Structures are given as C-alpha cells and as structure tokens.
Amino acid sequence: MPKTKIKTPKKKKTRSNATAETMATGQRDISVSEFFAKNRHLLGFDNPRKAMLTAIKEAVDNSLDACEEGGILPDIYVRVLQISESRFKLTIRDNGPGIVKAQIENIFGKLLYGSKFHRLKMSRGQQGIGISAAGMYGLMTTGKPVVIISKTGKRKPSHEVVLKMDTSKNRPTVISDEEHPEDDTLFADGHGTQVSIELEGKYQKGRQSIDEYLEQTAIANPHATVTYVTPTNETIVFPRAIQELPEEPKEIKPHPKGIELGTLIQMLERTEQRQLGGFLTKDFCRVGATKAREITKGAGMTGQTWIKTVGHAEAENLYESIQKTRIIAPSTDCLVPIGSKALLAGLLKEVKAEFFAASTRPPSVYRGNPFQIEVAIGYGGGLSRDDSAKVLRFANRVPLLYSQSSCCSFKAVAETSWKNYGLTQPRNSIPSGPLVVMVHMVSVWVPFTSESKEAIADYDEIRKEMKLALQECGRKLGTYLRRRKRMARESERRSVFERYIGEISRCCNSLVGADTDKLYKALLKQAKRRTDEADAQLDDEGQLVDDNGRLGNDDDVIIVDEMRDIPEQEDSLFGNSDKKKSKKKTKKKVKKKTTKKRGKK
C-alpha cells in the first residue's frame, strides 16, 4: 500500500495586541507640509504636466495680486527652460513692490502662511499654500532649492534668498541669504520679485496647458502685459489692452447671516469687546445700534449684557435671533468685477469672433459672502464651427482649467437653453458651433471644490446668477442672429429681382417703347426699397446703424464687420483650427474699428 503523508497542522501565529500605552508611543503631531507632501494631488500636483502648470499659475497669481495692491500696472515675465527630457526650470518675474527680506523665507518656505486667509476681500490667493507648495514639489522631485530675488526700491540692492522647506516641521531652511546688486538689471522699474523653481514636468501645448492658462489670464486681466518664453525659446507677448488698474477692493467684516453657531461662539470668546452691543456692531458688518438692540431683544438680552456672562445657551438664543432678524446684504465694495468694457477688450484681443456681448449681474450673497457674476460671449468670425462651444471659467480673474464637468460655471452653461437663441445644443450638454462663453465669479471667498482651486462648488444661489447672466447674453446673440438671417434672406430676394429686372426693362421697351435705362433704375429702386434690410450697415464702431434696432445703443455689445480680414493666430485656442498657422510668434494688438457708436457711452 502506498504510504500516505500525514500533514502536521501549522502552528497559529500568536497576535501581539497593542495596549493603550504602546499605542500612545506611536502618536505624534503631523506637520501640514508633511501631509500635503504625501497628498500633493490635493494641491494640483497630480502629474508632471499639471504640476508645471500649477506652479506657474500660483506664481503668476501672486505677481498680479502684488502689482495691483501696489498700484502698479503688471508686467509679468514667464520663462520655461527645458533642462532635460523631464526636468524644467520655471522663472516668473514681476514689477511689483517686492518682498521685504524678513518675509521671503516664510512666504516661500512655509505652508498656510499669508495675509489673505483671514480677511474678507477679493483676491486671487486665499489659503497661503500655492507658491510654497510649488517649491515643495520642486524640492521633492529634483532636490533643488527655490531661488528668490527681490528688490523693494530703486536705491536698495537686489536680495537673493535660496531656501528649502523642512516638511517635517513646516518651516524654511535658508541655504544662502545675500545681497546681489548685479541683479538690479532684472528690474527695470527699480522694484519687483523673481522666483525660480526647478522641477520635474512635462510640456505640451493645447488644452489645459501653460499656453492656454496665460492666454486666458490675458483675457481676464486686460490691464496686464504678459511675456512668455516657451521651452523652444519662442517669445509670445500678450499686450496690455487697457491702461488703468482695477479699483482697489475694500475689506469687510463678517456678515451675521453667514456664520454658524460654532463660529459665533468662537467670536464671542475671542472678541475684544466687553458688551454684547459693541460686539455686534464692531465685529460684524451691516449691524448698527438699532439692529443690535433688535437682535439682543430677540435673544432675551440687552446691548449692555457682559460678554463673559454669555454661555452656550445664551449663544444659541443669540444665533436664532440673528437668523430671524432681517439684515441687509453685506457691502459690495469688497468686490471689483472686470466690467463689461474690460471684458469686451480682453475678448477682442484674443478671440477672433464677429459678435461680442457681455453682462454683469448685480451683487448677490451666498452664506453671507457677497459675490458677483460676469458673463461674456464671442460668436462667429474665425472660431471653429464644427466643435462644441468653448467654456472659459474664471474665479477672481484666475482661469480654471481642470475639473470642468464638476464646476458650477460649466453646469450653468449646459443648463441654459441655447436653442432659444438660434444655436444647436445636444441634450444636457453645452451648445455646438462657433461660440466662446466666458463665466467669471468674483467673491471675497470663492467656494472651491478642493485646495487645488480647480472648480467652483455648486451652490444654488451661484448657479442661478450665472444662468441669468448667460440668458441675458443669449438674448442679445439671438437678436443678432435673427437680424443677420433677415439680412441674408432679403439679399437673396434682391438678387432674384436683379436677375430679371434687365430682361423686364428690355421687354417693356420692345412692347411699349419705354426708356430701358429709366425703367431699369425705377425697378431697381423699388427692389431696394422692398429689400432694405439687406442694406443694413455697421458703423465705424461695430454697431448696427439702425436707430430702431435693439442692439444699436447697447454698450455691452460689439459687432465686428464679418467681411474684414481676420488675422491668423499661431497656437491660439480661439482661432479657426483649419487655417494655416503663421510663423510669427509675437501677438500684436489688432487694430479694429470696434469702438462705440455715437449715442450713449
């Protein structure tokens, strides 16, 4: 008989159970920079191509903010130098007021450090993460430090700081800190900042590229000049379209309707006021003495109630009283929209269309935060007629290039019924045809869906305002398209008349002896009178010469003569893709007859 092998049972592994004491030994603080270093996708550094774009975006946004706060028309220089197949050196320079020596290392070497997080005021940056995270990504991928050169005045020498970030402690490690007078030539205005970051990346043109970001930045910031040197050493200049800075936004206090109970309790604990009335009037906006008395009375207290006597129950009563009290919306001088004039100037500079319209909605409020929506569209001209419409999304003048489908702006465009305005639109999608739609949200606190600031959260109040602005522009476009259609139809009718007028004149002459030339002119005059719509003209400012036309006196509409030569665009995302590309790389400002019609300004 064959021998059978007897399997001996394996000994079970003994499990070592942790105790409270052993678990306590492994617990420690987590640095915020250490967290984001392991989860860099949350900040927009998902892949090499996107990481390079995010780094440039953060640096350019900071430069624009600094120039505007300093009252300086921005001149931004961006250079992408390719060192190897996957390694690039990014250099961004501005003509802003510069950065004082003591603050350089904290701004560029420490996450969650900045001046914009705690203030309610419109600005591009919010969290104090962006540029320091870009330097952290460069350090992780190449091991190279960030090089910052700053000059704060004409009589002060340039200062160079080379630093790394210690991610375990979220603090900078300064490698060198020296004055460099030889770098003064970098700053023609005598002041500015330059940052250089070496990182792993991937350069590719087209959608969601550095080229697209800078082109859209030029549209939303027509007061800035952007010079871009590509990895192939080609220079593209996006010139300034307007010579004035936007108005300076003002900082406001929190609105009582925009806070939650926990926030109210924290504010009560931290306030410098001693009495409840002073707390309501000094720490909130839109609350005067009369409104404070109404709120405290509804909570069963008075304005003289001492803050230290307000417990949790009293705070709940105060919060409920605030919700029941009617308080006017917060002030909107903290917002500075681009404005219809600047919107149209930006689109005219970069988008080769024949019809432009813009709409700026009145300010509104979500969660106590004031916001404003602007929309502009460009139609026809050199835009591609075979593709879907292009949706340009902006928040506080910053282009949003990723997460389009989850963005409130894109959803508002898709939900608008463009068929009512003469366009083709697939179901539950954006319209098709030669159309560019720009949606811009201005707010003291934009509700982004993530820390990478790629999409706007879908609030009902925000989407409603976006749709109303889109519908206003859509109605203007529908009026224009119907007018063009009537003009084309009348032109066809006239061509039919003109085809037979000569024959009719000759026949009448042979039958009754009528003067052929005289009869031809009379019939031609009658044909023109019957088809006078075909003679509608555009004046030297791009407006319809028609006092009865609904677009004739609209300051938010510009119509460019579609018969003019449309300049070809090299690498442009808004030109006709079928046109032969030009070899000229520098974008020049196109001279168009597109100023306003006589009439109201």
Side-chain angles (χ1 to χ4, degrees):
M1 292 181 63
K3 293 182 180 180
T4 58
K5 292 183 180 180
I6 300 173
K7 293 183 179 179
T8 57
K10 293 182 179 180
K11 291 182 180 181
K12 292 184 178 179
K13 292 181 179 180
T14 58
R15 177 174 175 172
S16 58
N17 296 324
T19 63
E21 288 75 11
T22 58
M23 291 173 64
T25 59
Q27 293 170 347
R28 63 186 181 90
D29 290 337
I30 302 172
S31 166
V32 62
S33 55
E34 193 175 12
F35 171 79
F36 281 119
K38 290 186 177 181
N39 299 277
R40 59 193 185 192
H41 60 280
L42 297 176
L43 301 178
F45 297 93
D46 305 31
N47 54 69
R49 181 175 184 234
K50 187 177 178 183
M52 195 159 69
L53 168 64
T54 302
I56 288 180
K57 171 180 172 293
E58 297 295 348
V60 170
D61 289 351
N62 286 356
S63 294
L64 290 169
D65 270 341
C67 290
E68 290 174 9
E69 288 190 28
I72 303 166
L73 283 170
D75 284 322
I76 311 297
Y77 173 85
V78 179
R79 183 176 183 181
V80 181
L81 177 64
Q82 187 165 5
I83 298 174
S84 65
E85 184 178 354
S86 61
R87 183 173 291 193
F88 295 82
K89 183 179 180 180
L90 311 181
T91 302
I92 298 90
R93 183 169 66 245
D94 62 61
N95 62 330
I99 305 172
V100 295
K101 175 184 173 182
Q103 293 296 326
I104 290 177
E105 57 187 72
N106 288 326
I107 291 173
F108 291 91
K110 192 174 184 179
L111 292 183
L112 294 178
Y113 183 89
S115 60
K116 303 170 185 175
F117 185 82
H118 295 97
R119 69 184 188 187
L120 290 177
K121 177 182 176 181
M122 173 190 164
S123 62
R124 294 173 181 81
Q126 291 183 185
Q127 302 160 343
I129 292 179
I131 190 62
S132 51
M136 181 182 68
Y137 174 80
L139 178 64
M140 292 169 56
T141 55
T142 66
K144 294 297 184 71
V146 182
V147 180
I148 305 102
I149 302 174
S150 181
K151 184 175 173 63
T152 57
K154 292 183 178 180
R155 297 183 180 180
K156 297 179 180 179
S158 298
H159 204 89
E160 182 186 89
V161 177
V162 181
L163 59 85
K164 294 182 178 181
M165 178 188 290
D166 184 350
T167 56
S168 64
K169 298 177 181 178
N170 188 33
R171 67 184 186 189
T173 301
V174 178
I175 299 173
S176 67
D177 184 351
E178 301 173 348
E179 288 186 354
H180 276 220
E182 63 272 17
D183 291 333
D184 289 353
T185 55
L186 295 173
F187 309 102
D189 296 340
H191 47 75
T193 303
Q194 175 177 292
V195 55
S196 299
I197 303 173
E198 193 169 325
L199 47 72
E200 281 193 4
K202 181 180 179 181
Y203 176 74
Q204 188 174 338
K205 293 185 179 182
R207 303 303 299 270
Q208 299 177 338
S209 64
I210 298 171
D211 305 64
E212 182 186 29
Y213 163 73
L214 293 175
E215 193 165 356
Q216 292 191 22
T217 297
I219 292 174
N221 300 273
H223 61 286
T225 296
V226 181
T227 303
Y228 171 43
V229 182
T230 69
T232 55
N233 204 30
E234 298 168 338
T235 300
I236 300 175
V237 178
F238 301 93
R240 185 177 289 117
I242 57 177
Q243 299 296 325
E244 56 186 21
L245 281 166
E247 294 181 9
E248 183 182 2
K250 297 180 180 179
E251 186 176 352
I252 64 170
K253 296 286 186 181
H255 192 269
K257 293 284 188 179
I259 63 169
E260 296 168 322
L261 176 59
T263 306
L264 177 63
I265 293 173
Q266 290 179 356
M267 292 179 68
L268 286 166
E269 293 172 349
R270 299 170 183 172
T271 183
E272 297 179 355
Q273 306 299 320
R274 295 184 178 184
Q275 294 181 324
L276 196 56
F279 166 71
L280 292 172
T281 56
K282 300 294 184 182
D283 289 13
F284 292 101
C285 69
R286 297 304 198 185
V287 178
T290 303
K291 194 62 67 175
R293 284 195 296 270
E294 184 180 346
I295 293 172
T296 54
K297 183 178 179 181
M301 294 178 280
T302 66
Q304 287 72 41
T305 300
W306 295 100
I307 295 291
K308 60 184 179 181
T309 64
V310 179
H312 190 279
E314 291 80 9
E316 282 198 46
N317 294 335
L318 185 64
Y319 180 76
E320 291 177 5
S321 179
I322 289 174
Q323 303 310 310
K324 294 176 183 177
T325 304
R326 187 172 181 179
I327 305 172
I328 60 176
S331 174
T332 57
D333 55 3
C334 56
L335 305 177
V336 180
I338 299 174
S340 297
K341 176 184 175 182
L343 275 175
L344 293 172
L347 283 178
L348 276 166
K349 184 162 62 84
E350 301 298 332
V351 179
K352 306 310 173 189
E354 67 187 57
F355 174 87
F356 298 89
S359 172
T360 300
R361 292 287 302 165
S364 189
V365 178
Y366 84 94
R367 288 180 52 194
N369 295 313
F371 75 97
Q372 200 166 1
I373 299 298
E374 298 179 290
V375 167
I377 62 173
Y379 178 85
L383 299 175
S384 174
R385 299 179 179 272
D386 300 326
D387 301 330
S388 298
K390 291 181 174 64
V391 181
L392 312 182
R393 302 171 294 124
F394 295 85
N396 287 354
R397 300 176 182 262
V398 178
L400 309 177
L401 302 184
Y402 285 88
S403 303
Q404 178 174 266
S405 59
S406 61
C407 185
C408 183
S409 303
F410 184 79
K411 293 178 181 178
V413 175
E415 289 182 4
T416 302
S417 181
W418 295 93
K419 290 182 179 179
N420 297 339
Y421 314 122
L423 300 179
T424 303
Q425 182 179 18
R427 188 172 183 179
N428 299 324
S429 184
I430 60 174
S432 302
L435 180 68
V436 170
V437 182
M438 174 181 174
V439 183
H440 180 221
M441 178 180 179
V442 182
S443 180
V444 297
W445 188 259
V446 179
F448 291 113
T449 56
S450 67
E451 293 83 356
S452 56
K453 299 182 291 187
E454 295 172 352
I456 300 171
D458 192 11
Y459 282 87
D460 291 339
E461 302 93 330
I462 297 175
R463 196 197 296 195
K464 177 184 175 182
E465 288 295 314
M466 288 179 175
K467 290 178 69 174
L468 289 172
L470 288 164
Q471 289 167 359
E472 185 176 343
C473 287
R475 286 191 292 271
K476 295 173 183 178
L477 176 60
T479 300
Y480 169 76
L481 293 178
R482 287 191 294 271
R483 181 67 182 270
R484 282 297 192 201
K485 192 173 182 180
R486 289 197 303 270
M487 291 170 64
R489 186 169 58 246
E490 293 301 314
S491 179
E492 290 177 3
R493 288 183 61 197
R494 179 177 296 178
S495 65
V496 172
F497 288 138
E498 290 176 346
R499 191 180 306 163
Y500 297 105
I501 285 175
E503 186 66 24
I504 292 172
S505 301
R506 287 190 294 271
C507 292
C508 289
N509 175 264
S510 61
L511 291 173
V512 297
D515 187 344
T516 303
D517 292 338
K518 187 177 181 181
L519 182 59
Y520 179 82
K521 291 178 180 179
L523 290 174
L524 184 61
K525 183 178 180 180
Q526 184 72 359
K528 287 184 177 181
R529 188 179 68 82
R530 293 287 184 178
T531 59
D532 58 356
E533 184 78 14
D535 289 325
Q537 298 291 328
L538 300 174
D539 67 6
D540 61 350
E541 297 182 347
Q543 298 289 357
L544 286 171
V545 183
D546 181 3
D547 294 336
N548 298 321
R550 282 184 283 176
L551 300 179
N553 290 320
D554 195 330
D555 288 338
D556 294 336
V557 172
I558 290 180
I559 302 172
V560 180
D561 187 356
E562 62 182 351
M563 298 305 292
R564 71 180 175 86
D565 293 331
I566 299 174
E568 297 175 355
Q569 285 186 289
E570 173 87 10
D571 303 329
S572 174
L573 297 166
F574 310 116
N576 192 335
S577 59
D578 297 331
K579 287 190 175 183
K580 186 177 180 181
K581 292 184 177 180
S582 169
K583 293 183 179 180
K584 193 173 183 179
K585 295 293 179 180
T586 304
K587 293 182 179 289
K588 298 292 185 181
K589 186 175 180 182
V590 182
K591 294 182 180 179
K592 311 182 189 71
K593 295 181 179 180
T594 53
T595 53
K596 289 296 169 185
K597 180 187 175 183
R598 55 188 176 274
K600 66 179 183 180
K601 294 288 180 181

